[in-house]
Amino acid sequence: MLETSARLLKLLSLLQVRRDWTGADLARRLGVDVRTIRRDVDKLRNLGYPVNAAPGVAGGYQLGAGAELPPLLLDDDEAVAVAVGLRTAANGTVAGIEETSVRALAKLEQVLPSRLRRRVNALQAHTIALPARGTQVDAGMLTTIASACRDNQRLRFPYAGRDGDTRRHVEPLGLAHTGRRWYLVAWDVDKADWRTFRVDRIEEEPTLGARFTPREPPAEDLASYVSRQLSVAPYQHEARLVMHAPYDVVAARTSYASVHLERIDDERTLLTVGAPALEELGPWIAMIGVDFEVESPEELKQHLRALGERFLRASGQGGA
């Protein structure tokens, strides 16, 4: 059994990791009874931590927002990740956090143990950050959306999409970042379907709505789902190609947002791509630089045959 002071720190760490905990869950994690958890929660409150409690069998504990920010508990890897993230924030795609990041970094580095400060400094000294070319989004908007995803709260916002300006009412699932843009995956309540929204096209900070019961997500792998939505769904034509190269090789030669990849085996990768016209795909596929075969559609095979004959004629090897 943990000593009281160590147990309090562990309890605080657990409350910071997840939004809601039942007393029974916390008791199992800490190896104590529920009564001890209640006493420990009272001690945290006396130290200034706003721990909310809901009564009843299904009740639980939640670390709330107080008048001041209480100390956060970070392990070594978390502290390094936060420090590196703050140092690179000025070159990212989140607007308006450059000065704030510098102030927060100064506070964090002041209390970092020397062993962790050396890790952060070594990584930063040998890393060159190029300015981001993606569209910047407001940090407050990202925070609001992320909180709604965590708390299962509906969102309403005006959206400038391909169909013009509309008002959207959604149940948010998660955020995805491609390196250039931020996307929100959410259930569109009015359209009764899953949708992917570009965050930079949300025209003002979303309004929080009622809580909702989470739905079955559109895919087990959210990153793969977003990739397919960006690379295939918007286009009239879809092509499926079997690339005769390992997944990592094909991934390194293509863009996450332009193709959807699936591992077939150690030596083959299924590539799915969308295009407004099949004629655009031939030269692009050739530039990937690996052998492939077309699974579908048949029209693409015919186009590649005609393109190949044209190239042979241009090289002087084809017929007249």
Side-chain angles (χ1 to χ4, degrees):
M1 184 178 296
L2 296 172
E3 295 295 336
T4 302
S5 57
R7 190 176 65 244
L8 285 178
L9 290 174
K10 180 64 175 177
L11 173 59
L12 180 59
S13 179
L14 291 173
L15 290 172
Q16 289 176 347
V17 168
R18 204 170 79 189
R19 180 175 175 82
D20 297 295
W21 288 91
T22 66
D25 285 341
L26 290 172
R28 280 194 296 270
R29 285 294 192 101
L30 299 177
V32 297
D33 56 33
V34 175
R35 183 178 301 177
T36 301
I37 294 297
R38 286 197 292 266
R39 289 198 298 265
D40 286 349
V41 166
D42 288 336
K43 292 174 183 175
L44 288 178
R45 289 170 178 155
N46 291 334
L47 291 172
Y49 293 93
V51 182
N52 303 324
V57 177
Y61 297 98
Q62 177 187 109
L63 189 62
E68 297 180 353
L69 180 67
L72 298 176
L73 297 178
L74 301 174
D75 62 26
D76 285 5
D77 290 338
E78 290 170 343
V80 170
V82 171
V84 172
L86 289 171
R87 285 193 175 189
T88 57
N91 296 304
T93 53
V94 182
I97 64 170
E98 296 88 346
E99 182 181 349
T100 307
S101 299
V102 172
R103 292 201 309 268
L105 179 61
K107 293 179 181 179
L108 179 60
E109 291 195 334
Q110 183 178 356
V111 297
L112 278 179
S114 59
R115 68 180 188 281
L116 298 185
R117 192 179 298 112
R118 285 196 297 270
R119 287 174 59 185
V120 173
N121 290 339
L123 180 59
Q124 193 68 22
H126 298 282
T127 302
I128 298 175
L130 300 179
R133 296 181 179 178
T135 305
Q136 286 194 324
V137 298
D138 181 70
M141 182 178 294
L142 286 176
T143 301
T144 297
I145 294 174
S147 298
C149 294
R150 179 197 63 193
D151 300 339
N152 299 324
Q153 281 188 276
R154 287 183 171 182
L155 293 173
R156 293 182 183 272
F157 51 81
Y159 187 71
R162 289 191 295 270
D163 301 329
D165 293 349
T166 57
R167 187 99 187 155
R168 298 302 182 97
H169 183 201
V170 306
E171 296 176 355
L173 175 63
L175 285 164
H177 187 225
T178 64
R180 290 177 55 85
R181 293 191 176 97
W182 288 88
Y183 293 88
L184 166 65
V185 179
W187 175 265
D188 191 311
V189 175
D190 297 323
K191 298 183 181 297
D193 197 6
W194 290 100
R195 290 289 190 271
T196 302
F197 302 95
R198 271 178 52 176
V199 176
D200 60 287
R201 289 181 176 172
I202 298 177
E203 298 182 310
E204 60 186 52
E205 188 165 322
T207 302
L208 294 173
R211 292 284 187 94
F212 63 89
T213 301
R215 300 174 184 272
E216 188 72 23
E220 182 177 344
D221 181 2
L222 190 61
S224 179
Y225 172 79
V226 173
S227 173
R228 184 173 183 84
Q229 290 299 106
L230 299 182
S231 62
V232 180
Y235 299 102
Q236 179 180 359
H237 298 280
E238 174 181 327
R240 290 166 59 88
L241 314 169
V242 177
M243 313 300 291
H244 293 269
Y247 179 96
D248 292 342
V249 172
V250 181
R253 301 184 184 187
T254 56
S255 166
Y256 179 89
S258 64
V259 300
H260 177 68
L261 302 179
E262 300 175 58
R263 196 185 310 271
I264 298 176
D265 52 38
D266 291 343
E267 299 298 329
R268 296 181 302 161
T269 304
L270 178 64
L271 182 151
T272 307
V273 62
L278 290 176
E279 290 77 8
E280 298 180 5
L281 291 177
W284 177 83
I285 297 170
M287 291 179 64
I288 297 177
V290 301
D291 290 342
F292 66 94
E293 56 188 278
V294 178
E295 185 175 284
S296 66
E298 186 63 32
E299 293 82 0
L300 179 58
K301 296 179 182 180
Q302 297 172 2
H303 167 68
L304 291 179
R305 281 194 288 268
L307 188 63
E309 292 171 358
R310 184 176 300 122
F311 285 163
L312 285 173
R313 289 194 298 271
S315 68
Q317 298 184 25

